Structure formats: structure tokens, C-alpha cells
Amino acid sequence: MIRRLRLSAVSLFLVAALAAVASGVVRGSENVTMALITKIIQDVTKKSPAAEWAPAAKGQILIAGDQVRTGKQSLAVIKFTDQSIMRLRELSELSLGAEGPHGALVKTIQLKSGGIGFDVIKQQNEQFRLTSPTSVASIRGTRGSWCGGQGSDTLLVIHGLVNLKNLISGKDVDVAGGFIG
């Protein structure tokens, strides 16, 4: 019974987040509801543009500009308004960004350190980008993982196709399912 109530509360938050996103005609990089934290294990903290780092909570809504990080032996699962899922691994930190008009939103996840697993749902006219200090990965309808740190990144594509661009050399390559970039 309690589990159903929790699931209903999470679903209600997600529906509210979707309604908030759908109601905006033009989006900037602030106040765009992007996702919901659906699972927390151990030490997960969140920082918004107007606040300092604080413990994150299951069901907490994430907007553009928010940052999430995990401690040792910790995990956070983030579900986006388009039903895409991101798993933030231990000792990782990311920030969320969004820009563009309704129906052509560009979601940007900047991995500052650590690693993430992703399952991105393909959306009509919308883009999902994973960035780091050295690379940009453009993702649509793809499942895989991304690890970064110390000037190098590793992209593992399980399913789908990712365009990976190295920001230092300017070269880009398409990485298909079953390959590493």
C-alpha cells in the first residue's frame, strides 16, 4: 500500500513536471523542469543555482541549472520528462541545462567527473547532449555509459548510435551499438 502511494506521488510529480515543460513556449537556460530523482542510494546531494549543496531527496524535481553529485558507494537514478533515464554512479557530478523553443529543446548533461549510465528515448525535434571538458556526445534513442575524468572520456554504446566529438581535435565519429568511443 505504501509503495503504491509512493509510486503515485512520483507519478504525480512527473506529470506536473511534464505539464510545466509543455506549457512553456520559449525556454531559456533557467527554470525549465527537466527531470525527477527517482532513486537514491547512500550519499546524493543537489545544488541549485540559488542554493548550496544539500542532501537530495527521492521525488525531488530537477530544473535547468541544477547539479547532482554522488559520494562513495552511492547512486542516483534520474528520470527525465521524456522518460529517458540516467544513472549517476559513485563519485560523480553532473549539471543539467536546457535551451530552445518548445518542441525543439536541447537538453545538455555536463559530466564534471565520474560516470553515468543512460537510456535516452528518441524524441522528435529534440536533442540530448552529454558533455565533458573534452567531448560532446549527441544522443538519440540510445543506451550506454559515459565515464570521464583526467582529460579523457570513454563512451560505451550498448544500443543505438551516438555522434562523439572531441573538443580538442575537433574530430567527430559515429559510435554504433556494441562499440566504444
Side-chain angles (χ1 to χ4, degrees):
M1 181 69 173
I2 292 174
R3 186 178 177 132
R4 280 190 184 168
L5 288 174
R6 284 183 186 164
L7 185 58
S8 296
V10 169
S11 298
L12 182 61
F13 278 119
L14 195 53
V15 168
L18 285 169
V21 169
S23 68
V25 176
V26 177
R27 296 178 173 107
S29 61
E30 299 176 0
N31 297 326
V32 174
T33 301
M34 293 184 64
L36 181 74
I37 298 174
T38 59
K39 185 173 188 174
I40 291 176
I41 296 176
Q42 301 284 359
D43 179 28
V44 178
T45 55
K46 175 192 171 264
K47 180 182 189 292
S48 58
E52 291 301 313
W53 289 103
K58 184 178 176 182
Q60 193 167 24
I61 292 176
L62 299 173
I63 63 170
D66 283 349
Q67 298 176 49
V68 179
R69 72 177 173 198
T70 56
K72 193 168 184 149
Q73 297 182 348
S74 300
L75 171 83
V77 177
I78 300 169
K79 189 169 190 175
F80 290 83
T81 55
D82 66 1
Q83 304 303 311
S84 295
I85 302 219
M86 187 130 331
R87 292 166 301 282
L88 187 60
R89 303 292 182 194
E90 74 170 331
L91 300 174
S92 300
E93 182 177 338
L94 61 75
S95 63
L96 292 90
E99 59 184 43
H102 178 67
L105 185 66
V106 178
K107 298 175 197 137
T108 303
I109 307 304
Q110 181 179 13
L111 181 64
K112 296 182 178 186
S113 63
I116 55 176
F118 58 86
D119 189 357
V120 176
I121 307 297
K122 187 173 184 176
Q123 297 293 311
Q124 190 77 3
N125 301 322
E126 291 195 4
Q127 296 181 26
F128 204 105
R129 289 190 188 137
L130 297 177
T131 67
S132 76
T134 57
S135 305
V136 175
S138 297
I139 298 173
R140 294 182 85 178
T142 307
R143 182 179 310 139
S145 65
W146 169 281
C147 297
Q150 305 301 328
S152 68
D153 297 318
T154 302
L155 172 70
L156 169 64
V157 180
I158 296 170
H159 179 266
L161 183 69
V162 175
N163 179 266
L164 180 62
K165 181 176 182 177
N166 183 291
L167 297 174
I168 297 169
S169 69
K171 294 181 181 179
D172 69 302
V173 64
D174 287 334
V175 181
F179 290 92
I180 297 174

